[in-house]
Amino acid sequence: MPPDGPALMLFEQADARAPWLLASISQLPSGVTLPKLATGSAGFVPTVPLSDASLVAQPDDTGPLQAGVVDDGPASAATRAVSGGPLTTGMYQGAVNHAGGLKAPRGDVYQWELDGSSLPRFALRTAAGGALVFYAMSLNTTVAVPDVINKANPVHSGPPIQVPVDLQMLLPLGRPAPLDQLSASQTLSFAAIDPARAATARIQVIAIGGGLTSASAS
């Protein structure tokens, strides 16, 4: 779907002779603006090493720190380094409130987890000395009977699990409602500002893209 307002578009090349192809589009929430980027003597924006220790966190750790807040909420120790907002504490609250429509019948378990991915990540230097970090994560959600979570054998089925409309297109047509588990995965692109280290500085996740990539049911 086309972005609704300002967005970051990333393009990539397979090699020096290959065409540039669109890799991701990440939407900026309303009211969020991009930081000014630094430029070198040739007019290009310099990249930042993913191990740069002069920032609030090494850019390579930005995704895992965001995941700590999304998975555990405001009580997470990661909130010392990551600001609250729609793409951190807001995603946690959305999961708690079943914003994706995935709900557990009585007796079932509902879980979500934001995980890292194998997709490339990189960072650009900002004019303020920080980094604008680009990375991708996987958001996995599951509703399952306790036996599935506990890896019991045999598994005792539960009541039918309602399949949200968005997931129906990813499952075989005409499949009956699952009784054991329903899982969904999203591949999400993010952009975050990782500022220079200071007493009150914290990472701000400012853009998100991507969406559902797979679902499974049993």
Side-chain angles (χ1 to χ4, degrees):
M1 295 181 64
D4 181 18
L8 290 167
M9 303 177 70
L10 297 184
F11 296 82
E12 63 181 358
Q13 279 181 309
D15 58 57
R17 293 183 297 272
W20 286 95
L21 300 176
L22 181 63
S24 69
I25 301 176
S26 300
Q27 182 84 48
L28 279 76
S30 177
V32 174
T33 57
L34 283 175
K36 184 178 180 180
L37 298 177
T39 52
S41 58
F44 297 107
V45 178
T47 58
V48 179
L50 294 177
S51 59
D52 191 329
S54 68
L55 309 175
V56 167
Q58 294 183 10
D60 220 12
D61 293 332
T62 302
L65 286 168
Q66 178 197 11
V69 180
V70 173
D71 293 345
D72 299 325
S76 170
T79 56
R80 299 173 188 170
V82 181
S83 296
L87 303 181
T88 52
T89 50
M91 289 183 67
Y92 168 81
Q93 199 59 52
V96 170
N97 294 332
H98 305 277
L102 202 59
K103 297 183 179 181
R106 183 181 296 274
D108 283 10
V109 178
Y110 170 59
Q111 295 182 330
W112 70 90
E113 188 172 31
L114 188 65
D115 284 330
S117 78
S118 60
L119 295 172
R121 51 201 179 277
F122 66 97
L124 301 176
R125 182 68 69 188
T126 66
L132 179 62
V133 188
F134 297 85
Y135 56 99
M137 303 285 281
S138 296
L139 180 61
N140 304 304
T141 52
T142 299
V143 168
V145 295
D147 283 352
V148 170
I149 303 298
N150 299 327
K151 300 181 179 178
N153 187 14
V155 171
H156 297 88
S157 299
I161 302 170
Q162 182 178 356
V163 181
V165 174
D166 288 349
L167 297 188
Q168 291 176 7
M169 66 183 74
L170 299 176
L171 298 172
L173 187 65
R175 183 187 184 96
L179 302 178
D180 295 340
Q181 73 171 359
L182 174 62
S183 299
S185 294
Q186 299 180 55
T187 300
L188 303 174
S189 58
F190 291 101
I193 302 172
D194 187 359
R197 188 181 296 276
T200 59
R202 289 194 292 176
I203 294 165
Q204 292 181 295
V205 185
I206 62 168
I208 184 174
L212 284 166
T213 50
S214 65
S216 62
S218 60

Coordinates of all heavy atoms in Angstrom, one line a residue, residues 57-72 76-79 81-82 114-117 121 133 135-137 190 203:
A57 N 23.8 3.5 22.3 CA 24.0 2.1 22.2 C 24.7 1.9 20.8 O 24.6 2.7 19.9 CB 22.7 1.3 22.3
Q58 N 25.5 0.8 20.7 CA 26.0 0.5 19.4 C 24.9 0.3 18.5 O 23.9 -0.4 18.8 CB 26.9 -0.8 19.5 CG 28.1 -0.6 20.3 CD 29.0 -1.9 20.4 OE1 28.8 -2.8 19.6 NE2 30.0 -1.9 21.2
P59 N 25.0 0.8 17.2 CA 23.9 0.7 16.3 C 23.4 -0.7 16.1 O 22.2 -1.0 15.9 CB 24.4 1.3 15.0 CG 25.4 2.3 15.5 CD 26.1 1.7 16.7
D60 N 24.3 -1.7 16.2 CA 23.9 -3.1 16.1 C 22.9 -3.6 17.2 O 22.3 -4.6 17.0 CB 25.1 -4.0 16.0 CG 25.0 -5.1 15.0 OD1 24.1 -5.1 14.2 OD2 25.9 -6.0 15.1
D61 N 22.9 -2.8 18.3 CA 22.1 -3.2 19.4 C 20.7 -2.5 19.4 O 19.9 -2.7 20.3 CB 22.8 -2.9 20.7 CG 24.0 -3.8 20.9 OD1 24.0 -4.9 20.4 OD2 25.0 -3.4 21.6
T62 N 20.5 -1.6 18.5 CA 19.3 -0.8 18.4 C 18.0 -1.7 18.4 O 17.1 -1.6 19.1 CB 19.3 0.1 17.3 OG1 20.4 1.0 17.4 CG2 18.0 1.0 17.2
G63 N 18.0 -2.7 17.4 CA 16.9 -3.6 17.3 C 16.6 -4.4 18.5 O 15.5 -4.5 19.0
P64 N 17.6 -5.1 19.1 CA 17.4 -5.8 20.4 C 16.9 -5.0 21.5 O 16.1 -5.5 22.3 CB 18.8 -6.4 20.7 CG 19.5 -6.6 19.3 CD 19.0 -5.4 18.5
L65 N 17.4 -3.7 21.6 CA 16.8 -2.9 22.7 C 15.4 -2.5 22.5 O 14.6 -2.5 23.4 CB 17.7 -1.6 22.8 CG 19.1 -1.8 23.4 CD1 20.0 -0.6 23.2 CD2 18.9 -2.1 24.9
Q66 N 15.0 -2.2 21.2 CA 13.6 -2.0 20.9 C 12.8 -3.2 21.2 O 11.7 -3.1 21.8 CB 13.4 -1.6 19.4 CG 12.0 -1.4 19.0 CD 11.8 -1.4 17.5 OE1 12.7 -1.8 16.8 NE2 10.6 -1.0 17.1
A67 N 13.3 -4.4 20.9 CA 12.6 -5.6 21.1 C 12.3 -5.8 22.6 O 11.3 -6.3 23.0 CB 13.3 -6.8 20.6
G68 N 13.3 -5.4 23.5 CA 13.1 -5.5 24.9 C 11.9 -4.8 25.4 O 11.1 -5.2 26.3
V69 N 11.7 -3.6 24.8 CA 10.5 -2.8 25.2 C 9.2 -3.3 24.6 O 8.2 -3.4 25.3 CB 10.7 -1.3 24.8 CG1 9.5 -0.4 25.2 CG2 12.0 -0.7 25.4
V70 N 9.2 -3.7 23.4 CA 8.0 -4.3 22.7 C 7.6 -5.6 23.4 O 6.4 -5.8 23.6 CB 8.3 -4.5 21.2 CG1 7.1 -5.2 20.6 CG2 8.5 -3.2 20.5
D71 N 8.5 -6.4 23.8 CA 8.2 -7.7 24.4 C 7.8 -7.5 25.9 O 6.9 -8.3 26.3 CB 9.4 -8.6 24.3 CG 9.7 -9.0 22.9 OD1 8.9 -8.8 22.0 OD2 10.8 -9.6 22.7
D72 N 8.4 -6.6 26.6 CA 8.2 -6.6 28.1 C 7.5 -5.3 28.5 O 7.1 -5.2 29.7 CB 9.5 -6.7 28.8 CG 10.1 -8.1 28.5 OD1 9.4 -9.1 28.4 OD2 11.4 -8.2 28.5
S76 N 10.5 -2.9 31.2 CA 11.7 -3.5 30.6 C 12.9 -2.6 31.0 O 12.8 -1.3 31.0 CB 11.6 -3.6 29.1 OG 12.9 -3.9 28.6
A77 N 14.0 -3.2 31.3 CA 15.3 -2.4 31.6 C 15.7 -1.7 30.4 O 16.4 -0.7 30.5 CB 16.4 -3.4 32.1
A78 N 15.3 -2.1 29.2 CA 15.7 -1.4 27.9 C 15.1 0.0 27.8 O 15.6 0.8 27.0 CB 15.2 -2.2 26.7
T79 N 14.1 0.3 28.6 CA 13.6 1.7 28.6 C 14.6 2.7 29.1 O 14.4 3.9 28.9 CB 12.3 1.8 29.4 OG1 12.6 1.4 30.8 CG2 11.2 1.0 28.8
A81 N 17.4 3.0 27.8 CA 18.1 3.4 26.6 C 17.2 3.8 25.5 O 17.6 4.4 24.5 CB 19.1 2.3 26.1
V82 N 15.9 3.4 25.5 CA 14.9 3.6 24.4 C 13.7 4.4 24.9 O 13.1 4.1 25.9 CB 14.4 2.2 23.9 CG1 13.5 2.4 22.8 CG2 15.6 1.3 23.5
L114 N 9.3 -9.8 19.4 CA 10.0 -9.1 18.3 C 11.4 -9.7 18.3 O 12.1 -9.5 19.3 CB 9.9 -7.6 18.6 CG 10.5 -6.7 17.5 CD1 9.6 -6.8 16.2 CD2 10.6 -5.3 18.0
D115 N 11.8 -10.3 17.2 CA 13.1 -10.9 17.0 C 13.9 -10.2 15.9 O 13.3 -9.6 15.0 CB 12.9 -12.4 16.6 CG 12.5 -13.2 17.8 OD1 12.9 -12.9 19.0 OD2 11.8 -14.2 17.6
G116 N 15.2 -10.4 16.0 CA 16.1 -9.9 14.9 C 15.9 -10.7 13.6 O 15.3 -11.8 13.6
S117 N 16.4 -10.2 12.5 CA 16.4 -10.9 11.3 C 17.7 -10.9 10.6 O 18.7 -10.3 11.1 CB 15.4 -10.2 10.3 OG 15.9 -9.1 9.8
R121 N 21.6 -4.4 7.8 CA 21.3 -3.2 8.6 C 22.5 -2.2 8.4 O 23.6 -2.7 8.2 CB 21.1 -3.5 10.1 CG 22.2 -4.4 10.7 CD 21.7 -5.1 11.9 NE 22.7 -6.0 12.5 CZ 22.9 -7.2 12.1 NH1 22.3 -7.7 11.1 NH2 23.8 -8.0 12.7
V133 N 19.7 4.7 12.2 CA 19.9 3.3 12.0 C 18.8 2.7 11.3 O 17.6 2.9 11.6 CB 20.1 2.6 13.4 CG1 20.5 1.2 13.2 CG2 21.1 3.4 14.2
Y135 N 17.1 -1.0 10.1 CA 17.2 -2.5 10.4 C 15.9 -3.1 10.2 O 14.9 -2.4 10.0 CB 17.7 -2.7 11.8 CG 16.9 -2.0 12.9 CD1 15.9 -2.7 13.6 CD2 17.1 -0.7 13.2 CE1 15.2 -2.1 14.6 CE2 16.3 0.0 14.1 CZ 15.4 -0.8 14.8 OH 14.6 -0.1 15.8
A136 N 15.8 -4.4 10.2 CA 14.6 -5.2 10.1 C 14.4 -6.1 11.2 O 15.4 -6.7 11.8 CB 14.5 -5.9 8.8
M137 N 13.2 -6.4 11.6 CA 12.9 -7.3 12.7 C 11.7 -8.2 12.3 O 10.9 -7.9 11.4 CB 12.5 -6.6 14.0 CG 13.6 -5.6 14.5 SD 15.0 -6.4 15.2 CE 14.3 -6.7 16.9
F190 N 12.5 -0.9 10.2 CA 12.5 0.2 11.1 C 13.6 1.2 10.8 O 14.7 0.9 10.2 CB 12.7 -0.3 12.6 CG 11.6 -1.1 13.1 CD1 11.6 -2.5 13.1 CD2 10.4 -0.5 13.6 CE1 10.6 -3.2 13.6 CE2 9.4 -1.2 14.1 CZ 9.5 -2.6 14.1
I203 N 17.4 6.4 22.6 CA 17.1 6.0 21.2 C 15.6 6.3 20.9 O 14.7 6.0 21.8 CB 17.4 4.5 21.0 CG1 18.9 4.2 21.1 CG2 16.9 4.0 19.6 CD1 19.2 2.8 21.2

